[in-house]
Amino acid sequence: MSDVRKTIAGGATWQVVAEDRRRHRDATIAEAKPEAFSREDLAITNSNVKDLAARLASGEWSATTVIKVFLRRAGAAQGLANCVVELLPERAMRRAEELDRYLAENKKPVGPLHGVPISVKEHIAMMGLDLNAGFVAWVGRVAEEDALLLQILWDAGAVFYVRSTQPQTLMHLETSSNLYGVTTNPFNSTLTAGGSSGGEGALVGLRGSVLGIGTDIGGSIRSPAANNGVFGFKPTSERLPILGWSAPMAGCEAILGTIGPLSTSLEGVKLFMKTVVGGKPWLKSPNLVAMDWRDTTGLFSERRLKVAVMWDDEVVKPHPPISRALEEVVGELEKSQNVEIVDWAPQGHDRAWSIIAGLYFADGGAQTSEAINASGEPWQPLSKWIVQENPHLKKHDVTSLWSACAERDEYRQEYAELWNKKADVDVILCPVGPGVAPKLNAARYWGYTSQWNLLDYPAVVFPVNDHVSPEKDGAPIADYGPRNDADEYNWSQWTQHGAEGYEGAPISLQLVGRRYDEEKLLAALEVVLKEAGLPTAVPPTKAT
Amino acid sequence: MSDVRKTIAGGATWQVVAEDRRRHRDATIAEAKPEAFSREDLAITNSNVKDLAARLASGEWSATTVIKVFLRRAGAAQGLANCVVELLPERAMRRAEELDRYLAENKKPVGPLHGVPISVKEHIAMMGLDLNAGFVAWVGRVAEEDALLLQILWDAGAVFYVRSTQPQTLMHLETSSNLYGVTTNPFNSTLTAGGSSGGEGALVGLRGSVLGIGTDIGGSIRSPAANNGVFGFKPTSERLPILGWSAPMAGCEAILGTIGPLSTSLEGVKLFMKTVVGGKPWLKSPNLVAMDWRDTTGLFSERRLKVAVMWDDEVVKPHPPISRALEEVVGELEKSQNVEIVDWAPQGHDRAWSIIAGLYFADGGAQTSEAINASGEPWQPLSKWIVQENPHLKKHDVTSLWSACAERDEYRQEYAELWNKKADVDVILCPVGPGVAPKLNAARYWGYTSQWNLLDYPAVVFPVNDHVSPEKDGAPIADYGPRNDADEYNWSQWTQHGAEGYEGAPISLQLVGRRYDEEKLLAALEVVLKEAGLPTAVPPTKAT
């Protein structure tokens, strides 16, 4: 498909550039030939990564058959949640045909992800495609090669077929841009899909994808995973390669961004991690840690898993559905012989937010502002909120930056000591946010996720197989005296909208490990799900 | 010993503060009761770490016997090289007595370093002791607790007994300060002991210590190890804890400093690394990488070791003794069935120096200058050279700092690709500097060591059991047209002073691994030494 882009550099207005991008998107969707889904189509898209990979490897399903269905299903997801930047029918089909030929000739798959469709957030480079990172001014930047992560997944047999939406600045826990509009929640269109990997969240939530790639520096994988009821994993930084992503502030290292999977299944997350780490990405991206993927077989058969529960971060109180879900899960775990439960007393999470919010835009927001202003596109409300109205944001000089980094390190040490005192706690179980998916433009408290970015701890989000309903969550609320402005704002959202306002929203929780404990954390989640009686994969959505 | 410090804050002049520090030093040496060394004394100080630890663990030598000898030997080293900041007779004896009691009562050692004396560079905190980091103005700062590294070594049974010298700024490859004067080379007093861990280098070179701790951000462990003919190891950053060291520019992370051992033996280096990493320092210092010490048994019995030789970094040509030693070692290795030799073509080492030299003092040198100027102490020539006369030094703002870090990362990626193209090269063998120990105030080219700080590769220095001599190195030099000013300066040092000028200086080489390949690198060095017919420990020095 020819794609001669209209760009700001080429003299177009921001409105024309954006309209042209949407026209291009719609053309790629039309090309994927939408039609009704057959029974086999549904069997394919209702599969999860592990099963899908097995059937593809055996040849039971061809890569072309599978990718055709996922192209159409991703196209359908666009109509439901506005989550797609473009479909890639031509290159995906070419790739799938190549894989089918390989399997026929060699009687073996290319790798562990042979034929598995993977969706990709737009700002992760794909050779020859636009790389706008959500800024109108950046439309027309074309990637010269695939991001390193995609190269590794390609070598393992992946098929890339859809690119997904992200917000202006990449720094919202929602997904609104002037290029593609608002990505809404498939379960309740008055709510956000979350962000910044909101396109991935909605796509995976709608089974337009079973495995997608998002990025996370404050909750951007976990918020959309939670809001759409799927699994999402933010690893420790410098374990997976971000080389080849596009974003402002390249070279900033005070807070490191991460990249990771969203999936309909825990097995999808695990296979993704094992495959990427197995590709030894540190040999090409030497800032990464050269740490092999460690086997955890039998880890929790020899001893009990010790889970510390953080009910509330003591800054912003979670809405009732979150507290209810946490109580239910903990109630089940307490019955288990294989799990020990203790409480986690949070320490200085408000201070943590002030530290990280003061380090996100250490240039005072100059590069981000420039990327917005260069096209004349309007500032989205949440862009204003995090850049222009953020009281912690500071234009640092080198000396004040060092001092802020030293404060960050001190906080990290204090938190490590807190954990050391808890002796043998393996993981922390806690909310993903102070509520389920927020109303649009209301995602203003990042603390439940950004906490673990500041500490650089791995964190995985999982659905509890439940949704907000007036029956379960409609009880009248006792009076509550908020602790601070953020708490007041969050609580007012619940008192204003109530269970009806959030009806249908998936409920999710978060499990957090110590730094570099990726393998242990995922093994722990497996125990938690089993002992809490929760599925390790998302059941087919109502939307099918 | 009472030690009421004279300080700048207390109204003393810099001269009085410095004189008072030297008076204190001399008093601690007098307390260690210097006397002639008996045959057993010499047997003890001529032992290396592994043997010493075995005899201490068995009780053949008591911890008190051992530490008394090392206290006296370190005191004697002071007379030869001016390398001591203070001896710690009282606390070392108390500790040794405690260890002797423990062994008597429990019939087993406290840990793998039971009773092993360890010397420590001054700017690594020891509770209750001064922590001046080489600045007169900082005298009077007292450490509130031991550095984390020392805590771990303490738990393993170590005895700390001497603190060693460092230069003003900590940023020379020599060791001159206004507090303690010049640390000279024990093998030729017209030469430098190297730096900035020059006190450690001289102490270990003189067997006033068999295991010492230095720090390295541009060569500061490796230069003194090389200049004094001992082993020295700079690991990848964030494997060993620097928590508790004192230096300007806390919070800077563009180039990370490292901490590591100097020792009379390779076994000393290995035991140190294994012990510290085994202490899981990342649990207390969470910026560290949670990577256990990996067993390499049998690694090079299954396949040949592949060594790439970098003869010259193509920026500054090494002096004849270095090239000669490299040729001799490579000549031996080429005869071996167990080693494969290829050439290493360096790539952009001049650019590497401009990048790292532009990142060392990203505040334009403000904090370092302030630390010097606060006392009125004079600037040492090499402080001027690296701060005031450094053409790459820049006062960055946040934007230019990010851009410089991005350039650093790009260079790191290019170098990784260079190594990837060399397929299965295990290690690089190269010079440690462009000559043996320089004349005083002449250590002006860091490239052979700082290269691996910029890349953050582990690098180990080893002696080739040889020294400069007019017989071997006195041949007339062919005309040489220098490549640049640094090359001209370095070459003029040799043409001016010749083999006679450097007579007696130990000759050392450097082995470099890929990032995080600490274990493999040390295993490779063992193969190199064996196949080159070199000892794994330093023979007793002439000075005994």
Side-chain angles (χ1 to χ4, degrees):
Chain A
M1 160 153 321
S2 131
D3 177 23
V4 181
R5 298 162 187 82
K6 292 195 166 45
T7 64
I8 296 294
T13 63
W14 75 262
Q15 293 92 338
V16 169
V17 172
E19 195 187 338
D20 181 60
R21 284 293 87 200
R22 293 191 294 268
R23 178 202 55 73
H24 168 72
R25 173 196 65 201
D26 295 343
T28 66
I29 292 172
E31 205 183 345
K33 301 191 182 62
E35 55 188 73
F37 290 92
S38 70
R39 191 176 296 267
E40 195 197 16
D41 292 349
L42 291 177
I44 289 171
T45 54
N46 279 336
S47 301
N48 297 304
V49 171
K50 195 179 174 185
D51 185 36
L52 198 56
R55 290 179 198 248
L56 281 157
S58 73
E60 180 183 341
W61 289 338
S62 73
T64 43
T65 302
V66 167
I67 204 63
K68 270 186 208 163
V69 182
F70 273 99
L71 279 163
R72 286 164 47 219
R73 181 112 179 194
Q78 167 60 18
L80 296 166
N82 190 31
C83 49
V84 169
V85 161
E86 62 184 321
L87 295 187
L88 308 169
E90 201 180 302
R91 65 171 73 197
M93 283 302 294
R94 201 165 55 232
R95 168 67 169 161
E97 285 161 11
E98 167 192 314
L99 290 167
D100 285 341
R101 271 196 307 276
Y102 183 95
L103 190 74
E105 283 167 20
N106 297 278
K107 314 290 177 212
K108 62 170 189 184
V110 160
L113 295 173
H114 183 101
V116 173
I118 296 185
S119 51
V120 184
K121 190 177 182 181
E122 196 269 356
H123 79 123
I124 301 165
M126 297 184 70
M127 187 168 61
L129 299 180
D130 209 61
L131 193 58
N132 60 53
F135 297 108
V136 177
W138 289 13
V139 170
R141 294 188 178 188
V142 173
E144 289 175 13
E145 59 177 353
D146 286 354
L148 176 55
L149 181 67
L150 301 191
Q151 294 175 24
I152 294 171
L153 293 168
W154 178 280
D155 291 343
V159 183
F160 305 116
Y161 67 108
V162 57
R163 307 176 77 207
S164 65
T165 53
Q166 65 218 346
Q168 184 189 51
T169 75
L170 294 166
M171 293 293 282
H172 308 175
L173 293 186
E174 304 196 13
T175 300
S176 310
S177 75
N178 295 310
L179 287 167
Y180 304 103
V182 179
T183 303
T184 54
N185 193 298
F187 299 87
N188 179 331
S189 62
T190 71
L191 307 178
T192 175
S196 66
S197 314
E200 286 304 316
L203 262 177
V204 178
L206 286 163
R207 288 194 170 272
S209 169
V210 291
L211 182 57
I213 307 171
T215 56
D216 189 322
I217 198 169
S220 283
I221 288 171
R222 290 161 291 156
S223 131
N227 292 3
N228 294 281
V230 304
F231 294 86
F233 184 42
K234 178 205 84 69
T236 306
S237 68
E238 302 190 331
R239 277 206 88 179
L240 299 190
I242 63 169
L243 192 61
W245 82 12
S246 170
M249 303 187 281
C252 163
E253 53 195 349
I255 301 295
L256 293 174
T258 59
I259 199 163
L262 296 91
S263 181
T264 53
S265 66
L266 174 55
E267 286 299 339
V269 169
K270 286 167 107 171
L271 184 57
F272 178 95
M273 290 301 297
K274 201 173 162 179
T275 302
V276 178
V277 175
K280 298 193 182 297
W282 53 83
L283 293 179
K284 293 198 165 185
S285 180
N287 281 6
L288 300 183
V289 174
M291 190 184 276
D292 289 318
W293 191 251
R294 293 159 297 183
D295 185 27
T296 52
T297 311
L299 179 59
F300 296 116
S301 57
E302 291 157 20
R303 65 176 178 86
R304 290 200 299 180
L305 169 69
K306 188 161 176 179
V307 177
V309 181
M310 186 182 81
W311 300 94
D312 180 332
D313 72 356
E314 294 176 6
V315 183
V316 171
K317 182 182 170 72
H319 289 172
I322 302 297
S323 300
R324 171 176 69 77
L326 196 49
E327 276 163 25
E328 287 171 6
V329 168
V330 171
E332 291 303 312
L333 295 179
E334 279 174 336
K335 295 179 202 158
S336 164
Q337 298 296 319
N338 300 319
V339 179
E340 181 185 354
I341 297 281
V342 297
D343 277 340
W344 185 265
Q347 186 173 292
H349 286 221
D350 47 352
R351 186 175 149 221
W353 172 248
S354 76
I355 293 171
I356 197 169
L359 285 170
Y360 278 140
F361 303 93
D363 64 348
Q367 290 192 13
T368 295
S369 301
E370 164 64 17
I372 296 175
N373 295 337
S375 68
E377 65 171 308
W379 282 66
Q380 291 283 333
L382 289 180
S383 304
K384 279 190 201 163
W385 181 79
I386 192 69
V387 178
Q388 298 177 342
E389 297 158 9
N390 173 355
H392 304 292
L393 189 142
K394 213 182 289 183
K395 184 171 162 53
H396 280 288
D397 59 25
V398 166
T399 307
S400 72
L401 179 65
W402 287 345
S403 156
C405 287
E407 191 191 356
R408 174 202 66 193
D409 291 348
E410 201 179 305
Y411 184 78
R412 287 175 174 171
Q413 283 154 30
E414 286 171 22
Y415 220 89
E417 289 297 351
L418 182 67
W419 202 313
N420 291 341
K421 279 181 208 138
K422 285 289 194 173
D424 43 3
V425 161
D426 293 299
V427 288
I428 299 171
L429 175 64
C430 61
V432 192
V436 294
K439 292 286 178 185
L440 295 172
N441 290 322
R444 297 189 178 193
Y445 184 66
W446 298 20
Y448 283 93
T449 44
S450 61
Q451 177 72 19
W452 317 117
N453 296 89
L454 177 64
L455 295 171
D456 200 23
Y457 291 177
V460 62
V461 162
F462 60 98
V464 300
N465 202 20
D466 195 5
H467 299 74
V468 176
S469 73
E471 295 72 40
K472 293 176 180 171
D473 301 303
I477 302 302
D479 278 349
Y480 172 65
R483 303 155 177 159
N484 53 57
D485 289 351
D487 195 28
E488 181 168 20
Y489 178 80
N490 182 65
W491 199 251
S492 74
Q493 290 291 308
W494 182 258
T495 52
Q496 186 184 335
H497 302 295
E500 290 77 9
Y502 296 96
E503 187 166 3
I507 306 176
S508 304
L509 293 173
Q510 184 174 211
L511 205 64
V512 178
R514 290 191 86 150
R515 199 158 181 246
Y516 294 111
D517 268 354
E518 278 71 23
E519 297 88 336
K520 181 181 175 182
L521 175 61
L522 295 181
L525 178 54
E526 204 164 343
V527 175
V528 165
L529 294 174
K530 185 172 174 216
E531 302 299 324
L534 293 172
T536 58
V538 182
T541 60
K542 290 183 214 160
T544 56
Chain B
M1 161 151 321
S2 133
D3 177 22
V4 181
R5 297 162 187 82
K6 293 198 164 44
T7 64
I8 296 294
T13 62
W14 75 262
Q15 293 91 338
V16 168
V17 173
E19 194 187 339
D20 181 60
R21 282 294 87 200
R22 294 192 294 268
R23 179 205 52 73
H24 167 72
R25 174 197 63 200
D26 295 343
T28 66
I29 292 172
E31 205 182 345
K33 302 191 182 64
E35 55 187 73
F37 291 94
S38 70
R39 191 176 297 267
E40 195 197 17
D41 292 348
L42 291 177
I44 289 172
T45 55
N46 280 335
S47 301
N48 297 303
V49 172
K50 196 178 172 186
D51 184 39
L52 198 56
R55 289 178 199 248
L56 281 156
S58 72
E60 180 184 341
W61 289 338
S62 74
T64 42
T65 302
V66 167
I67 204 63
K68 269 188 208 162
V69 182
F70 274 99
L71 280 162
R72 285 164 46 219
R73 181 113 179 193
Q78 167 61 17
L80 297 166
N82 191 30
C83 49
V84 169
V85 160
E86 62 183 321
L87 294 186
L88 307 170
E90 200 179 304
R91 62 171 74 196
M93 284 302 294
R94 199 164 59 233
R95 168 67 169 161
E97 284 160 11
E98 168 192 312
L99 290 167
D100 286 340
R101 273 196 306 276
Y102 183 94
L103 189 74
E105 282 167 21
N106 298 278
K107 314 290 177 212
K108 62 170 190 187
V110 159
L113 295 173
H114 183 100
V116 173
I118 295 185
S119 51
V120 183
K121 190 176 182 181
E122 195 269 356
H123 79 122
I124 301 165
M126 297 184 71
M127 186 166 64
L129 298 180
D130 207 60
L131 192 57
N132 60 52
F135 297 108
V136 177
W138 289 13
V139 170
R141 294 186 179 190
V142 173
E144 289 176 12
E145 59 178 352
D146 286 353
L148 176 55
L149 181 68
L150 302 192
Q151 294 175 25
I152 294 171
L153 293 168
W154 178 280
D155 290 343
V159 183
F160 306 115
Y161 67 107
V162 56
R163 306 178 77 207
S164 64
T165 53
Q166 64 219 346
Q168 183 189 51
T169 74
L170 294 165
M171 294 293 281
H172 309 175
L173 293 187
E174 303 196 13
T175 300
S176 310
S177 76
N178 294 310
L179 287 166
Y180 304 103
V182 179
T183 303
T184 52
N185 193 299
F187 298 87
N188 178 332
S189 62
T190 71
L191 308 177
T192 175
S196 66
S197 313
E200 286 304 316
L203 262 177
V204 179
L206 286 164
R207 288 193 172 272
S209 169
V210 290
L211 181 58
I213 307 172
T215 56
D216 189 322
I217 198 169
S220 285
I221 288 171
R222 290 161 292 157
S223 131
N227 293 2
N228 294 281
V230 304
F231 294 85
F233 185 41
K234 177 205 84 68
T236 306
S237 67
E238 302 189 331
R239 278 206 86 178
L240 300 190
I242 63 169
L243 192 61
W245 81 13
S246 170
M249 304 188 279
C252 165
E253 51 194 351
I255 301 294
L256 294 173
T258 60
I259 198 163
L262 295 90
S263 181
T264 53
S265 66
L266 174 56
E267 286 300 338
V269 168
K270 285 167 108 172
L271 184 57
F272 178 95
M273 290 301 298
K274 201 174 162 178
T275 303
V276 177
V277 174
K280 297 191 183 296
W282 53 83
L283 294 179
K284 294 199 166 184
S285 179
N287 281 7
L288 300 183
V289 174
M291 190 184 276
D292 289 317
W293 189 252
R294 293 161 296 183
D295 185 26
T296 52
T297 310
L299 179 59
F300 297 116
S301 57
E302 292 158 18
R303 63 174 180 86
R304 291 200 298 180
L305 169 69
K306 189 162 175 178
V307 177
V309 181
M310 188 181 80
W311 299 94
D312 180 333
D313 72 357
E314 295 177 5
V315 183
V316 172
K317 183 183 169 70
H319 290 172
I322 301 298
S323 301
R324 171 176 68 78
L326 196 48
E327 277 162 25
E328 287 170 6
V329 169
V330 172
E332 291 303 313
L333 294 179
E334 278 175 337
K335 295 180 204 159
S336 164
Q337 298 295 320
N338 300 320
V339 178
E340 183 186 352
I341 297 281
V342 296
D343 276 343
W344 184 266
Q347 186 173 288
H349 286 222
D350 47 352
R351 185 174 151 222
W353 172 247
S354 77
I355 293 170
I356 198 169
L359 285 170
Y360 278 139
F361 302 94
D363 65 347
Q367 290 192 14
T368 295
S369 301
E370 165 64 17
I372 296 175
N373 295 337
S375 68
E377 65 171 307
W379 282 66
Q380 291 284 334
L382 289 179
S383 304
K384 279 189 201 164
W385 180 79
I386 193 67
V387 178
Q388 298 177 341
E389 297 157 10
N390 173 355
H392 304 292
L393 189 143
K394 214 182 286 186
K395 184 170 163 55
H396 281 288
D397 58 26
V398 166
T399 307
S400 72
L401 179 64
W402 286 346
S403 156
C405 288
E407 192 191 354
R408 173 203 67 194
D409 290 349
E410 200 179 307
Y411 184 78
R412 287 174 174 173
Q413 283 154 31
E414 287 171 20
Y415 220 89
E417 289 297 351
L418 181 68
W419 202 313
N420 291 340
K421 278 180 208 141
K422 285 289 195 174
D424 41 2
V425 161
D426 293 300
V427 289
I428 299 171
L429 175 64
C430 60
V432 192
V436 295
K439 292 285 177 185
L440 295 172
N441 289 322
R444 295 189 178 194
Y445 184 66
W446 298 20
Y448 283 94
T449 45
S450 61
Q451 177 71 21
W452 318 117
N453 296 89
L454 176 65
L455 295 171
D456 200 24
Y457 292 176
V460 61
V461 162
F462 60 98
V464 300
N465 202 19
D466 195 4
H467 300 73
V468 176
S469 74
E471 295 71 40
K472 291 177 182 172
D473 300 302
I477 302 302
D479 278 351
Y480 172 65
R483 303 155 177 158
N484 53 57
D485 289 353
D487 195 28
E488 181 169 17
Y489 178 81
N490 183 64
W491 199 252
S492 74
Q493 291 291 306
W494 182 258
T495 52
Q496 185 183 336
H497 303 294
E500 289 78 10
Y502 295 98
E503 187 166 2
I507 306 176
S508 303
L509 293 174
Q510 183 174 211
L511 204 64
V512 177
R514 291 193 84 154
R515 200 159 180 244
Y516 294 111
D517 269 354
E518 277 71 21
E519 297 88 336
K520 181 181 173 182
L521 175 61
L522 295 181
L525 178 55
E526 204 164 342
V527 175
V528 165
L529 294 173
K530 184 172 173 216
E531 302 298 324
L534 294 172
T536 59
V538 182
T541 59
K542 290 184 214 160
T544 56

